[in-house]
Amino acid sequence: MKNQNLSVRKLARCGMVAALYVVLCMALQPFSYGAVQVRVAEALCLLPVFGAEYIFGVVLGCFLANLLGSTIVDVIFGTLATLLACLVTYKLRNIRFKGLAFAASLPPVVFNAVIIGIEIAVMFPDPSSSAPLWLACVTNGISVGIGELISCTVLGVLLVRIIEASPAVRKVFES
């Protein structure tokens, strides 16, 4: 019975994370979508630091948010970028720099900059630009990467620090 209660708690936490991701994207819609974005919900990509079950919650939230607010291309590639980012974030969960989870914040930045940067350049090219495709990929990647740095390396690392600083809050997030 105890294992069943633990599983139910994990499932409930994943559902709450997915719902929170969607709510943050919808409430902050002008900032959550497009080539220039700071998707605050991406801070949740650092939750796998507290357990692998958060990977599912964050990826499901990203999938649903993209389904509701973006294109089918972003549903596929944005969700893929988040899945890869969360998997690597989980692997880097124990690496700290001055006690902070900076290493765990970098996979969402890198995967989204590369995957979404290419997605935007290829699928939604700027008709007024004569720049070569590779340059559009790089500039879009830089723009997305900067937004991810703000969301993950600033807000996400802060979120992890706040959770870890409070034993009562940390207990809620850990198995």
Side-chain angles (χ1 to χ4, degrees):
M1 187 65 151
K2 187 174 182 169
N3 284 342
Q4 186 178 10
N5 287 341
L6 186 60
S7 296
V8 170
R9 272 195 304 250
K10 285 182 177 182
L11 186 59
R13 284 190 300 225
C14 287
M16 289 188 319
V17 168
L20 181 58
Y21 191 105
V22 173
V23 167
L24 285 170
C25 285
M26 295 295 109
L28 302 171
Q29 197 162 14
F31 304 106
S32 298
Y33 301 96
V36 178
Q37 60 178 268
V38 177
R39 188 179 275 199
V40 173
E42 283 288 290
L44 300 174
C45 285
L46 269 76
L47 290 180
V49 163
F50 300 105
E53 71 268 16
Y54 290 106
I55 296 168
F56 182 74
V58 174
V59 172
L60 177 61
C62 177
F63 172 80
L64 293 172
N66 287 341
L67 196 62
L68 292 170
S70 194
T71 65
I72 192 67
V73 173
D74 205 34
V75 169
I76 296 165
F77 291 104
T79 305
L80 173 65
T82 298
L83 172 62
L84 295 172
C86 286
L87 289 170
V88 178
T89 292
Y90 176 72
K91 294 288 185 187
L92 299 174
R93 69 189 177 278
N94 295 319
I95 299 173
R96 298 288 196 247
F97 178 74
K98 296 191 177 190
L100 299 173
F102 284 119
S105 77
L106 297 178
V109 175
V110 172
F111 282 109
N112 280 285
V114 172
I115 294 171
I116 306 307
I118 293 169
E119 173 194 328
I120 293 168
V122 171
M123 301 304 296
F124 311 103
D126 181 357
S128 66
S129 174
S130 60
L133 181 61
W134 69 266
L135 184 58
C137 290
V138 169
T139 55
N140 284 318
I142 290 169
S143 175
V144 170
I146 290 169
E148 287 292 313
L149 276 170
I150 294 166
S151 298
C152 297
T153 307
V154 175
L155 299 177
V157 169
L158 181 62
L159 175 64
V160 169
R161 178 69 185 117
I162 290 168
I163 293 168
E164 289 178 337
S166 171
V169 174
R170 185 176 183 144
K171 186 176 179 182
V172 170
F173 282 89
E174 291 182 334
S175 301

